Amino acid sequence: PPNNSKNGFSSSTTIKSFINLDQGDPMLFKEYWRKMSEKCTVVIKGCELLSYLSDLGNVCWFMMPELREAIKRLHALVGNADTNDKYIVVGNGSTQLFQAALYAFSSSSDEPMNVIAASPYYSEYEEQTDILHSGVHKWSGDAMKYDKNEAYIEVVTSPNNPDGSIRGPVVNNKKCESEGKLIHDLAYYWPHYTPITHKANHDLMLFTFSKCTGHAGSRIGWAIVKDKEIAKKMTKFIQMSSIGVSKESQIRVAKIIEVLCDIYENFKCSGSSKETELFFELSKCLMKERWEKLREVIKQSNDFSLPKFPKAYCNFTNESSETYPAFAWLKCNKDDDCESYLEKKLKILARGGTRFGSDPRYARVSLLGKAEDFEEFLKRLSIDMN
Amino acid sequence: PPNNSKNGFSSSTTIKSFINLDQGDPMLFKEYWRKMSEKCTVVIKGCELLSYLSDLGNVCWFMMPELREAIKRLHALVGNADTNDKYIVVGNGSTQLFQAALYAFSSSSDEPMNVIAASPYYSEYEEQTDILHSGVHKWSGDAMKYDKNEAYIEVVTSPNNPDGSIRGPVVNNKKCESEGKLIHDLAYYWPHYTPITHKANHDLMLFTFSKCTGHAGSRIGWAIVKDKEIAKKMTKFIQMSSIGVSKESQIRVAKIIEVLCDIYENFKCSGSSKETELFFELSKCLMKERWEKLREVIKQSNDFSLPKFPKAYCNFTNESSETYPAFAWLKCNKDDDCESYLEKKLKILARGGTRFGSDPRYARVSLLGKAEDFEEFLKRLSIDMN
């Protein structure tokens, strides 16, 4: 990384190196999994998991039955999504499933289907949609501005990445008479990030293990799908794209979910688990603590501002609380380019607002990083304000 | 499966159920890995492999260094590909890498790039190329018939799937003055299938672990790429498609490759491994045995025929031998539709010639299946001929 000596600080406070808060690499949860490390251990022998096939009787033939059961159990525990009478499709992260969903919703139309999301939207949707200049779908930008009389797919991300807001579809159906399909990206609809206010029950919901427990290296996501034909098309897309999903990851994720759920069951039924072993409660404390510290620093000046979130009652934790998003959607009040300001002035790598179809005065900063990076981030903000 | 009583056999030889030899699920090697099961065991703890990132200093930032080293070691041992001064990109099977290669070779052109392969070609290339009706590439069929003056990508599969032939590029460059890019799909260029006659050294080579050792459930493939910019674009495609590749699979594949190579090293250096532990020699015996049995049955009549393969000297096994392909490219001499004949008459599911851009009198039959399925296949062929 370049060394910029004109950073405006006195030598005693010179910022030595960059901290990368651009990606949402979920290192925050590692400490918890270190404690549960032995319990979650999987052992895979040389002759296991050879076949391409997992479950030929099921629509998603490459999904291992134990993972399907674990995912259903997890949603039943948390109460964040209804899996009854629905199809579950596993993917190489929810990224692949997003593209599978676009394919499934668009493949029967003659014209490229419009793909939209309300700004600020997840920075990668646009490129994931358009990377191959597909003739079946195309990115059509901000859903708030959508006024074509053409079929569309609206992506609803809730809580939203980057700004943490709770969202529903926004296309005005009176204005747009064409058929709209919805993809609900619920990557952050877990109790450590936001109150679980209802059991989501949409046509197509995406989840990812990366943001649920922090196991991003496993590349496991899943879709919960109402319509069998859509689930079949998604399965076909993943077959064409990668002939399925790593079985090693599938059995490991199943194991980790089982351990997580067992701890809750043992806590409720026999008291043989301790409160400090409950993953979501513990992780919510971490998120809350980071948000409180960050708000404390921000309120010392008018240089930056943060979104505010309403309180809501969480059916899982049985308490009323705010949303504690995985990212801070930071607004810079003294510079028109927040990303560039953070980079040049504070050597903090963040993702600027334009990447999210929004204002460059905003930038997204990951709050899921290592403790030392988060503390250093707060320190640099404080120094900057003084 | 439907029960067809008009199958032409007497009641004593009624064929009860279908055998599926359509896919190339590599169950043949399971017995070997059962013996090596403990040696190859991997143990993964709960707090390991959390991050998205693997190796930020490398072009393919999501590839684990131990897998890269293991792959280089394997190619050095076998002598089938030159990895010196080349970039290695890992993918979710070679399927994803094929699409990444198409993207990397086409993304800079204005018109959709023509993708071609000499018939008979692997049945999935066409749909993998065209699934999204991409504006950057399109399937243009048989490379032998290609006569457009437009840029193209020729896929060279050697040994070929489905027919086992040894191949080079076929587009006549005098006729076609446009630039051609080559993808070498070397999935079957391993000593158990074919003599290793030279160290392949092409611009872009694809390999898959599925066909090398039989670990298809791990979904690990790799590309060996000369040009850094192409490797970067392929990495970007995989990032956009799945944000990387399962780390669980990566470390397991690295471990299995290390055990495989260690056995060879110990055999050569200290004699502490036995000859019956050498994976490729043992697997070659299995392939040879199946081919000899199959040829024995086929030669009993004129009903079916099989391709013949020339002998060549293998630099790895130090002996001259034929190719023993993973599939039999069966020609039916008494029916115009080989797939349908096998299905209706013998209850054998195979993949018909038209799927490979070829003649329906041919069908591809997997020779990598379970022993009982292979023996049953031979039995049904014999009964049919008598």
Side-chain angles (χ1 to χ4, degrees):
Chain A
N3 195 341
N4 181 2
S5 60
K6 295 175 192 161
N7 57 24
F9 298 105
S10 68
S11 57
S12 63
T13 58
T14 294
I15 296 174
K16 289 197 188 82
S17 59
F18 278 86
I19 49 174
N20 189 343
L21 303 174
D22 177 351
Q23 291 116 19
D25 205 24
M27 302 313 290
L28 175 66
F29 309 119
K30 192 165 183 176
E31 198 46 43
Y32 177 86
W33 296 112
R34 214 189 297 276
K35 282 187 278 175
M36 298 300 155
S37 225
E38 301 302 325
K39 270 190 187 165
C40 293
T41 296
V42 290
V43 176
I44 308 171
K45 293 188 175 178
C47 73
E48 293 177 328
L49 313 180
L50 268 85
S51 174
Y52 287 99
L53 317 171
S54 290
D55 190 6
L56 285 181
N58 209 291
V59 166
C60 186
W61 57 266
F62 47 77
M63 183 170 199
M64 297 183 83
E66 55 262 56
L67 179 60
R68 180 179 294 107
E69 290 314 308
I71 285 170
K72 284 184 179 176
R73 188 181 169 196
L74 181 63
H75 285 300
L77 170 75
V78 172
N80 60 341
D82 187 349
T83 63
N84 287 323
D85 302 317
K86 297 203 178 68
Y87 300 89
I88 302 185
V89 180
V90 67
N92 290 288
S94 60
T95 298
Q96 193 183 35
L97 290 159
F98 170 69
Q99 293 173 64
L102 294 186
Y103 169 76
F105 278 149
S106 346
S107 57
S108 56
S109 66
D110 294 333
E111 285 295 302
M113 192 96 131
N114 298 287
V115 182
I116 53 179
S119 163
Y121 44 72
Y122 175 43
S123 54
E124 310 304 292
Y125 289 147
E126 176 169 358
E127 198 164 5
Q128 286 170 10
T129 304
D130 284 346
I131 185 165
L132 289 179
H133 300 191
S134 168
V136 298
H137 49 62
K138 65 175 186 215
W139 181 251
S140 296
D142 191 349
M144 295 293 276
K145 297 177 185 157
Y146 189 72
D147 57 5
K148 293 183 192 171
N149 260 323
E150 294 170 9
Y152 65 90
I153 300 168
E154 182 180 351
V155 196
V156 179
T157 312
S158 184
N160 191 38
N161 175 0
D163 70 357
S165 60
I166 304 302
R167 292 183 151 195
V170 302
V171 173
N172 188 333
N173 274 309
K174 285 169 198 155
K175 217 162 146 188
C176 172
E177 288 166 14
S178 300
E179 197 194 13
K181 306 281 188 187
L182 297 176
I183 296 174
H184 277 82
D185 185 342
L186 304 182
Y188 302 97
Y189 191 43
W190 295 103
H192 41 342
Y193 300 119
T194 195
I196 302 303
T197 56
H198 67 290
K199 194 174 270 195
N201 189 9
H202 308 289
D203 286 350
L204 199 159
M205 302 183 275
L206 301 181
F207 287 93
T208 167
F209 202 56
S210 309
K211 305 304 180 182
C212 174
T213 64
H215 290 86
S218 307
R219 311 306 314 118
I220 292 289
W222 61 92
I224 303 174
V225 184
K226 263 188 197 164
D227 181 2
K228 189 174 186 177
E229 291 309 310
I230 296 297
K232 275 187 184 171
K233 283 185 186 171
M234 290 181 72
T235 299
K236 192 197 164 179
F237 180 87
I238 291 172
Q239 180 180 334
M240 283 294 136
S241 159
S242 58
I243 323 187
V245 174
S246 159
K247 287 191 178 180
E248 288 84 349
S249 286
Q250 289 193 59
I251 61 158
R252 183 169 181 239
V253 166
K255 172 77 181 181
I256 292 170
I257 292 177
E258 280 159 21
V259 170
L260 189 155
C261 292
D262 283 350
I263 290 171
Y264 277 95
E265 215 156 86
N266 293 336
F267 179 73
K268 281 177 196 161
C269 303
S270 62
S272 62
S273 301
K274 285 170 276 179
E275 206 165 342
T276 55
E277 288 178 342
L278 302 177
F279 174 74
F280 292 114
E281 279 77 355
L282 209 75
S283 302
K284 187 181 171 183
C285 283
L286 293 175
M287 294 305 303
K288 189 180 176 195
E289 195 187 313
R290 288 200 174 181
W291 271 96
E292 285 172 352
K293 282 184 179 177
L294 177 60
R295 291 201 189 273
E296 196 57 40
V297 169
I298 294 291
K299 80 171 187 194
Q300 288 165 21
S301 83
N302 266 329
D303 294 354
F304 293 99
S305 42
L306 283 171
K308 289 197 178 67
F309 304 106
K311 280 198 169 192
Y313 188 79
C314 176
N315 300 328
F316 179 76
T317 58
N318 292 315
E319 59 179 17
S320 182
S321 76
E322 286 181 31
T323 298
Y324 303 113
F327 299 99
W329 185 235
L330 207 58
K331 188 181 176 193
C332 186
N333 297 321
K334 60 178 182 183
D335 196 298
D336 284 347
D337 188 332
C338 188
E339 176 184 340
S340 154
Y341 182 85
L342 291 171
E343 186 180 342
K344 288 184 183 145
K345 202 82 191 294
L346 305 180
K347 289 194 181 173
I348 292 165
L349 301 178
R351 199 172 291 182
T354 47
R355 292 279 302 280
F356 303 89
S358 179
D359 193 319
R361 279 176 299 176
Y362 289 87
R364 189 194 77 168
V365 179
S366 169
L367 298 185
L368 300 183
K370 292 178 197 160
E372 59 262 38
D373 286 348
F374 177 72
E375 295 298 335
E376 181 62 26
F377 166 54
L378 295 185
K379 208 172 127 192
R380 292 187 190 181
L381 283 182
S382 305
I383 293 169
D384 186 43
M385 290 164 176
N386 295 325
Chain B
N3 195 343
N4 181 5
S5 61
K6 295 175 193 161
N7 57 24
F9 298 104
S10 68
S11 58
S12 63
T13 57
T14 296
I15 296 173
K16 290 197 189 85
S17 59
F18 278 85
I19 50 174
N20 188 343
L21 302 174
D22 177 352
Q23 292 117 18
D25 206 25
M27 302 313 290
L28 175 66
F29 310 118
K30 192 164 185 179
E31 198 45 43
Y32 177 86
W33 296 113
R34 214 189 298 275
K35 282 187 279 175
M36 298 300 154
S37 225
E38 302 301 325
K39 270 189 188 166
C40 294
T41 296
V42 291
V43 176
I44 309 171
K45 294 187 175 179
C47 73
E48 293 177 328
L49 313 179
L50 268 85
S51 174
Y52 286 100
L53 317 171
S54 291
D55 190 6
L56 285 181
N58 209 291
V59 166
C60 186
W61 57 267
F62 47 76
M63 184 170 198
M64 298 184 82
E66 56 262 55
L67 179 60
R68 181 179 292 107
E69 289 314 308
I71 286 170
K72 283 185 179 176
R73 188 181 170 197
L74 181 63
H75 286 300
L77 170 75
V78 172
N80 61 341
D82 188 349
T83 62
N84 287 323
D85 302 319
K86 297 201 178 67
Y87 300 90
I88 302 184
V89 179
V90 68
N92 290 289
S94 59
T95 297
Q96 194 183 35
L97 290 160
F98 170 69
Q99 293 173 63
L102 294 186
Y103 168 76
F105 278 150
S106 348
S107 58
S108 55
S109 65
D110 294 333
E111 286 294 302
M113 192 95 129
N114 298 287
V115 182
I116 53 179
S119 161
Y121 43 72
Y122 175 44
S123 54
E124 310 304 292
Y125 289 148
E126 176 170 357
E127 198 165 5
Q128 286 170 10
T129 304
D130 284 346
I131 185 164
L132 289 179
H133 300 191
S134 168
V136 297
H137 49 62
K138 65 175 183 214
W139 182 253
S140 296
D142 191 350
M144 294 293 276
K145 296 176 185 157
Y146 188 73
D147 57 5
K148 293 183 192 170
N149 259 324
E150 293 169 11
Y152 65 91
I153 300 167
E154 182 180 351
V155 196
V156 179
T157 313
S158 184
N160 191 38
N161 175 0
D163 71 356
S165 60
I166 304 302
R167 292 183 151 194
V170 302
V171 173
N172 188 333
N173 273 308
K174 284 169 197 155
K175 218 163 146 189
C176 172
E177 287 166 15
S178 301
E179 197 194 14
K181 307 280 189 188
L182 297 176
I183 296 173
H184 277 82
D185 184 343
L186 304 182
Y188 302 96
Y189 191 44
W190 294 104
H192 40 341
Y193 301 119
T194 195
I196 302 303
T197 57
H198 68 289
K199 193 174 270 195
N201 189 9
H202 308 289
D203 287 350
L204 199 159
M205 301 183 276
L206 302 181
F207 287 93
T208 167
F209 203 56
S210 309
K211 305 303 181 182
C212 174
T213 64
H215 290 86
S218 307
R219 313 306 315 119
I220 292 289
W222 61 93
I224 304 174
V225 184
K226 264 188 197 162
D227 180 4
K228 189 174 186 175
E229 291 310 310
I230 296 297
K232 275 187 184 169
K233 282 186 185 170
M234 290 181 72
T235 299
K236 191 197 166 182
F237 179 87
I238 292 172
Q239 180 180 335
M240 282 295 136
S241 158
S242 58
I243 324 189
V245 174
S246 158
K247 287 190 177 179
E248 288 84 349
S249 286
Q250 290 194 58
I251 61 157
R252 182 167 182 240
V253 167
K255 172 74 180 182
I256 293 170
I257 292 177
E258 279 158 21
V259 170
L260 189 155
C261 292
D262 283 349
I263 291 171
Y264 277 95
E265 217 156 83
N266 294 336
F267 180 74
K268 281 177 193 159
C269 302
S270 61
S272 62
S273 301
K274 285 170 277 177
E275 206 166 340
T276 55
E277 289 179 343
L278 302 177
F279 174 75
F280 292 114
E281 279 77 356
L282 209 75
S283 303
K284 186 181 171 184
C285 282
L286 293 175
M287 294 306 301
K288 189 181 175 194
E289 196 187 312
R290 288 200 173 181
W291 271 95
E292 286 173 351
K293 283 185 179 176
L294 176 61
R295 290 201 189 274
E296 196 58 39
V297 169
I298 293 290
K299 82 171 185 192
Q300 288 165 22
S301 83
N302 267 328
D303 292 354
F304 292 100
S305 43
L306 283 170
K308 288 196 180 66
F309 304 106
K311 281 198 166 190
Y313 187 79
C314 175
N315 300 327
F316 178 75
T317 57
N318 292 316
E319 59 179 17
S320 181
S321 76
E322 286 180 29
T323 297
Y324 303 114
F327 299 99
W329 184 235
L330 207 57
K331 188 182 175 194
C332 187
N333 297 321
K334 60 179 183 184
D335 196 299
D336 284 347
D337 187 332
C338 188
E339 176 185 339
S340 154
Y341 182 85
L342 291 172
E343 187 181 341
K344 288 184 183 147
K345 202 80 190 294
L346 306 180
K347 290 193 181 173
I348 293 165
L349 301 177
R351 199 172 290 181
T354 47
R355 292 277 304 278
F356 304 89
S358 180
D359 193 319
R361 279 177 299 176
Y362 290 87
R364 190 194 78 168
V365 178
S366 169
L367 298 185
L368 300 184
K370 292 178 199 160
E372 59 260 39
D373 286 348
F374 177 72
E375 295 298 335
E376 181 62 26
F377 165 55
L378 295 184
K379 209 172 126 193
R380 293 186 190 182
L381 283 182
S382 304
I383 293 168
D384 186 44
M385 290 165 177
N386 295 323

